[in-house]
Amino acid sequence: MMKNVKKASPEFATSETFVWWDMDSCPLPSGYDPCRLGPRIDTELKNLGYNGPLTIIGIGNLEGVPHDFLKALSSGGVVIKQLQLGSNMILCVNEALNSSESRFQPPLTMMVISAVHADLLEEVVSVFYIRGSLYNLLLAYPYVTEHADPEPSSLLVDNFGGEWVWDRFGLLKDSGSANEIRRQDTGCEMHFCGLCDLSFPSFDDFTTHFKTPPHADKPYLAKVKAKRLEFIEFDNYFKDDDEDDDIPKTEKAIGDCRRSLVFPSKECYYNVLLERRLLS
């Protein structure tokens, strides 16, 4: 299923397109061939007129992910990145949007595949809103994802290209063609190990790195897992619901307001976001 989907306007038809796939919150459906993912997304975008350079990035916690699965993704043109400790995909998208690299300059299209929809509105949509009509946003998310109000299409009138459901009936649907082909150019994006802060030009180099110490060392992996849990616990510390909430009540009220109200205008919505940032 898809909605609010528009054909690429002339400025986006030949410009850079980046796809950011949150592998943790949006896993592939059971039985879905991972080597099909790159060509499937490529075909969907080409059908809408996005014919410029395309980079698809799969990012997440790769601990325990089978080598054959990652290899199949890579063969379909997906660049794979291991998250840094304490990071998440939305932070990576924001970093790219704030980068001075020429490939992230307008006109630019970004597709963000993530189940973190409320955070997405605040952290990414606001950037697109501020940047203006030469930044084009596409969204995909699981069917069960709860929308935050207001929806992106009502905010980004000039630079919202559409949204898809992340399932076999939406973005991953069977096109009926056995000849879906992935564009070979994946830009200059490299596979990346966030735990070691190292980049690799080829998938073979990337997986060789994961087979060598300290990644093959179980005590090391146990320490990484413990450290990851520390970050999660620290993050959750500020999200508890008890009466002695650590979040200032004014800020909490604004956060609740964002999730429960349909704002009369996009200006009103971002004024609330600005106030929230000033309070933090």
Side-chain angles (χ1 to χ4, degrees):
M1 185 180 73
M2 58 186 184
K3 63 178 182 177
N4 304 310
V5 174
K6 299 180 289 189
K7 289 281 188 179
S9 55
E11 61 268 30
F12 299 122
T14 57
S15 62
E16 294 268 4
T17 297
F18 284 84
V19 176
W20 297 84
W21 169 37
D22 186 342
M23 298 171 66
D24 293 333
S25 70
C26 292
L28 288 177
S30 177
Y32 192 91
D33 185 352
C35 70
R36 289 183 53 204
L37 178 63
R40 175 81 282 277
I41 293 175
D42 193 348
T43 298
E44 188 74 11
L45 292 174
K46 282 189 290 192
N47 288 343
L48 292 171
Y50 295 96
N51 295 306
L54 173 65
T55 302
I56 303 175
I57 301 168
I59 186 165
N61 174 20
L62 303 181
E63 296 167 30
V65 179
H67 172 270
D68 290 345
F69 179 86
L70 296 177
K71 184 176 182 180
L73 284 175
S74 177
S75 70
V78 177
V79 179
I80 302 166
K81 294 181 181 289
Q82 161 70 53
L83 274 174
Q84 294 176 309
L85 287 173
S87 185
N88 60 57
M89 194 196 71
I90 299 302
L91 291 176
C92 297
V93 174
N94 270 330
E95 183 178 344
L97 284 170
N98 290 301
S99 171
S100 60
E101 293 183 52
S102 59
R103 61 199 177 118
F104 295 124
Q105 300 310 303
L108 175 70
T109 294
M110 278 195 178
M111 171 181 276
V112 179
I113 304 169
S114 176
V116 192
H117 207 238
D119 290 342
L120 191 65
L121 271 174
E122 181 176 339
E123 301 297 335
V124 176
V125 175
S126 58
V127 177
F128 277 81
Y129 172 74
I130 293 168
R131 294 292 177 83
S133 60
L134 289 181
Y135 286 81
N136 183 42
L137 178 63
L138 311 173
L139 293 179
Y141 43 82
Y143 180 76
V144 295
T145 300
E146 181 181 355
H147 281 272
D149 291 322
E151 293 194 13
S153 56
S154 66
L155 294 168
L156 302 175
V157 176
D158 298 323
N159 50 338
F160 185 71
E163 50 193 318
W164 289 257
V165 172
W166 178 255
D167 63 15
R168 294 177 185 272
F169 303 100
L171 186 59
L172 301 175
K173 68 179 181 294
D174 187 348
S175 67
S177 171
N179 299 314
E180 289 185 325
I181 300 174
R182 169 76 167 91
R183 276 169 274 190
Q184 294 303 307
D185 181 18
T186 57
C188 58
E189 200 71 37
M190 293 195 288
H191 304 285
F192 178 72
C193 174
L195 300 178
C196 303
D197 199 23
L198 293 174
S199 298
F200 302 90
S202 74
F203 176 76
D204 288 340
D205 291 339
F206 180 63
T207 53
T208 297
H209 168 73
F210 271 88
K211 293 177 182 177
T212 57
H215 286 283
D217 182 29
K218 289 185 178 180
Y220 168 80
L221 294 177
K223 290 179 181 179
V224 169
K225 184 176 181 180
K227 183 62 68 175
R228 194 180 299 280
L229 289 174
E230 283 183 25
F231 279 111
I232 294 172
E233 290 172 2
F234 179 79
D235 185 54
N236 288 339
Y237 177 78
F238 293 97
K239 296 179 181 178
D240 57 60
D241 295 320
D242 57 31
E243 293 183 358
D244 298 323
D245 207 320
D246 305 289
I247 304 174
K249 292 188 182 299
T250 51
E251 183 178 349
K252 181 175 176 57
I254 292 171
D256 292 341
C257 177
R258 176 173 64 84
R259 288 173 172 80
S260 62
L261 292 180
V262 176
F263 293 88
S265 69
K266 56 187 176 184
E267 289 80 7
C268 174
Y269 174 70
Y270 285 110
N271 284 337
V272 171
L273 286 187
L274 176 61
E275 184 179 354
R276 187 181 183 200
R277 288 196 177 94
L278 292 175
L279 288 170
S280 60

